[in-house]
Amino acid sequence: HVQLVESGGGSVSAGGSLTLSCASSGYTYKSACMGWFRQAPGKAREPVADIVTGVGRAYYADSVKGRFTISQDNAKNTLYLQMDSVKPDDTAMYYCAAGWQCAMASGINDWGRGTQVTVS
């Protein structure tokens, strides 16, 4: 079982930057990928970005492409999401996830509890 703990959320002005972190523990090597999802009030949870474990190949939602960067530090068992040029539409609860197919919620085995990002 994988444990995921997010941090780094908060309030930021539009156009600013924020970095989210996700500390992982447990059988992370069994996860084919790790990623970030977000869920705004009244909306479905949606994928933001994910990275293939051990390969480093990253994928991004069109809405964040060119503004967000996903990365991982294997030595620290930590996943990051660098958020630049943020917009009010980026306001949501952000969840760290690990699974076998990180482009969809149904492919996720483990979820963090989330960290709130508010852009004004």
Side-chain angles (χ1 to χ4, degrees):
H1 196 65
V2 176
Q3 291 81 44
L4 304 171
V5 180
E6 305 95 334
S7 62
S11 297
V12 60
S13 299
S17 298
L18 205 62
T19 301
L20 305 184
S21 299
C22 171
S24 62
S25 60
Y27 298 102
T28 54
Y29 67 91
K30 290 188 176 181
S31 299
C33 57
M34 294 189 70
W36 294 92
F37 283 69
R38 68 185 181 185
Q39 187 168 18
K43 295 188 177 181
R45 190 170 297 190
E46 62 177 8
V48 175
D50 68 86
I51 191 165
V52 178
T53 304
V55 176
R57 188 165 61 240
Y59 300 91
Y60 298 92
D62 288 341
S63 59
V64 306
K65 202 171 293 183
R67 300 188 298 119
F68 291 8
T69 304
I70 188 171
S71 62
Q72 60 186 160
D73 185 331
N74 292 325
K76 295 182 179 180
N77 291 327
T78 302
L79 183 74
Y80 301 98
L81 184 68
Q82 176 66 39
M83 306 168 62
D84 297 318
S85 302
V86 296
K87 305 174 181 179
D89 284 349
D90 295 322
T91 296
M93 184 71 79
Y94 283 72
Y95 296 91
C96 182
W100 58 273
Q101 168 53 276
C102 292
M104 58 185 72
S106 59
I108 300 301
N109 295 323
D110 299 282
W111 295 95
R113 291 188 175 185
T115 186
Q116 177 68 38
V117 172
T118 302
V119 183
S120 59

